[in-house]
Amino acid sequence: MFNRLFYREKGLFLQSFHPATVLVYLLVLLILSLIYDHPLYLLALFLLLALLIREVDGLDAWEGFLKAGVFLMLVVMMVNPLVIRAGKTIIWHGPAVPFLGKLDISMEAIYFGAASSLRLLVIISIFCLYNLMINPDRVLNLFSRVAGKSVLVITLATRLFPTMVRDLQRIREVQQLRGVDFDTGSLWQRAKKYSGLYNVLLLSSLEDAMEIAESMQARAFGSGRRSVYSRNILRPRDLFCLGGSLLALSAAVWGLRYGYGRYSFYPEADFLIKDGTTLAVLFIVLFYLSVPLILSKGWKHCRFLKSKI
Amino acid sequence: MGTSWGLYTTLTGILAVLLLLSAMEKKGALDSRQVSVIAVLAALCAAGRSVTGVGLLFLQPTMFLVEITGFVYGARVGFFTGAMTPLISNFFMGQGSWTPWQMLCWGLVGVSGAVVKALLPQAGNRTLTAVCFLWGYLYGAIMDVWQWTVFMRPLTWQTYFLTWAAGFSFDSLRAAGNLFFCAALGHQTLKILQYFHKKMNIHYLER
């Protein structure tokens, strides 16, 4: 069930970037999704992400991620209209409720709730794209130069994770052969049987931990400076993508200084498109952000571009 | 309006986690035994969190383990075990901008174990169970701060209260799960971890 949510090497163009490039690109997307209030801008980001996710062949995984976000989204959409009194267009006069005051539901509050949930979907999609686009091992490799021990702990633990699940099954089988039946008995009896399972797992894992420690000691862990081997190449595609992200960020910050991307919902919602410049700024930012998408399309359809990047 | 509190809280979380993790990188901060124990316990917790987190909703046999780790091995190992738990289980459950705050919360669970040890050195499983039960709600309350600042406007006590109230049933489930698992498994866990703590604790007479 979870398999499709993980990273899988599919040999796609978007998966071939330098990990640092992908991290910078996704960080820029995350920052933009958090600083923009304008529903149109958020919608544009969402569409861009949808296209990118389709390009990494991850629509199935995306569906799983979005389903997980639905509950959070409902909370956001419910709470906002119930609490906010700043809206001017009241569509329902509710009864007075202790602590919250009078329940007047306004159009603007519903609108704001919808825009916030759109932002939630954008954030979820960004992390879905992260899971589809970079191999986690390469990210860890990138950080091993500066944070050796943390990376070591993470790698060890992720490696031990499946071992533990396998150990648990093994211990369970051994117990079953000794006559423990996990499927019968009252709830308390079953809990007792499972607690035996847990104890053995904890003991054997800690025993393993001692062995790992001895083996690390034998390999001279902590005895001097660490050496690092990594083989990540910066290709022209990475430079294009990095440039695009940084230009998009600076364009967005420049636009925000003049109020493009800001949006006020209260007391009355702004016009969605105030003037042509709103669209122009959006177009510029979006163009810089779609560099990876354009490159990926070019990789498929244009031989000249393919030979250059 | 207009102030990007969502960005600030998320960035604060990331910076705090980076700062605290950088303490781990300090030379001589952790020896090989501590590193491997952190890794093994974090893997165990992450397995508990992600395997049962889906099957049994929020009844996870995990938080008490982090707490007891902090109690037995001290604040540093407790914090790192706690902080690594959501990071690793989220590789399987989905990373997100919620990860740094979750890491902080879980790390604090580990630290709270060490605090219990410092205040009440003779504390038994009963005290730990009570603390663990409280953490079920406290964890929800801290995570709601993140959710509230990112997705709610205006930022008033009322909106925070409603966000918290929306998650109350989940928090109660988590607290009940903590109570149950810590009461049932805490005692043996404490014994096993203390045994290994003795076994691990090596003092070199000369270097």
Side-chain angles (χ1 to χ4, degrees), chain A:
Chain A
M1 171 194 169
F2 292 111
N3 262 333
R4 60 202 176 115
L5 301 184
F6 304 153
Y7 176 84
R8 267 178 300 170
E9 192 68 58
K10 292 175 187 158
L12 295 167
F13 173 76
L14 283 178
Q15 293 179 329
S16 68
F17 283 98
H18 190 281
T21 314
V22 184
L23 285 182
V24 168
Y25 179 69
L26 292 177
L27 191 68
V28 167
L29 276 178
L30 183 67
I31 291 176
L32 290 187
S33 72
L34 287 170
I35 57 177
Y36 276 147
D37 296 322
H38 202 298
L40 199 64
Y41 281 49
L42 289 174
L43 191 66
L45 285 179
F46 187 66
L47 291 179
L48 175 69
L49 280 162
L51 288 176
L52 279 167
I53 288 171
R54 204 187 66 176
E55 202 65 23
V56 278
D57 194 16
L59 289 179
D60 288 355
W62 195 36
E63 202 186 317
F65 271 84
L66 290 184
K67 266 185 201 155
V70 163
F71 174 75
L72 214 56
M73 198 174 129
L74 282 178
V75 171
V76 173
M77 287 191 78
M78 297 272 284
V79 168
N80 274 306
L82 282 180
V83 189
I84 296 172
R85 298 280 168 280
K88 214 175 155 194
T89 325
I90 308 284
I91 53 171
W92 186 64
H93 284 288
V97 175
F99 186 74
L100 289 178
K102 210 163 177 313
L103 278 185
D104 285 341
I105 309 273
S106 68
M107 199 70 194
E108 283 83 8
I110 293 182
Y111 186 27
F112 179 77
S116 293
S117 2
L118 185 59
R119 170 177 307 168
L120 176 68
L121 292 185
V122 170
I123 292 178
I124 290 178
S125 311
I126 290 173
F127 285 97
C128 172
L129 188 61
Y130 167 86
N131 284 344
L132 295 167
M133 229 169 131
I134 341 184
N135 189 340
D137 291 347
R138 289 177 69 197
V139 180
L140 287 180
N141 194 346
L142 188 70
F143 286 112
S144 67
R145 198 181 294 267
V146 285
K149 274 180 195 161
S150 319
V151 170
L152 181 66
V153 169
I154 296 171
T155 344
L156 265 179
T158 358
R159 183 245 170 277
L160 285 172
F161 190 97
T163 319
M164 255 162 212
V165 177
R166 212 176 46 220
D167 275 356
L168 193 65
Q169 265 163 358
R170 190 172 48 85
I171 298 166
R172 198 185 145 107
E173 278 165 13
V174 170
Q175 300 255 20
Q176 274 173 337
L177 282 177
R178 289 181 166 184
V180 181
D181 190 352
F182 286 98
D183 297 325
T184 56
S186 66
L187 192 66
W188 181 245
Q189 280 170 335
R190 276 194 215 186
K192 267 182 115 174
K193 287 173 194 165
Y194 276 104
S195 89
L197 212 64
Y198 161 82
N199 282 342
V200 179
L201 183 66
L202 186 62
L203 268 169
S204 77
S205 322
L206 283 168
E207 217 43 87
D208 284 351
M210 303 293 284
E211 277 171 23
I212 293 169
E214 274 158 22
S215 133
M216 274 159 62
Q217 198 87 31
R219 287 172 171 79
F221 173 84
S223 62
R225 243 176 62 93
R226 242 177 128 260
S227 56
V228 180
Y229 170 74
S230 75
R231 207 190 55 179
N232 285 318
I233 346 163
L234 264 181
R235 297 195 197 86
R237 64 187 78 160
D238 297 305
L239 299 179
F240 278 123
C241 186
L242 276 176
S245 331
L246 296 180
L247 282 173
L249 188 63
S250 32
V253 169
W254 179 84
L256 276 171
R257 271 187 56 199
Y258 296 99
Y260 298 107
R262 296 231 181 275
Y263 193 78
S264 64
F265 290 88
Y266 308 113
E268 253 181 309
D270 272 350
F271 288 110
L272 201 56
I273 302 169
K274 237 180 296 183
D275 47 25
T277 329
T278 312
L279 284 181
V281 172
L282 175 61
F283 181 77
I284 293 169
V285 172
L286 212 60
F287 173 73
Y288 286 137
L289 281 179
S290 45
V291 167
L293 194 64
I294 296 167
L295 289 179
S296 173
K297 291 282 180 206
W299 178 265
K300 275 186 199 156
H301 302 297
C302 174
R303 269 197 205 152
F304 173 73
L305 201 62
K306 192 172 176 177
S307 69
K308 291 293 173 201
I309 55 176

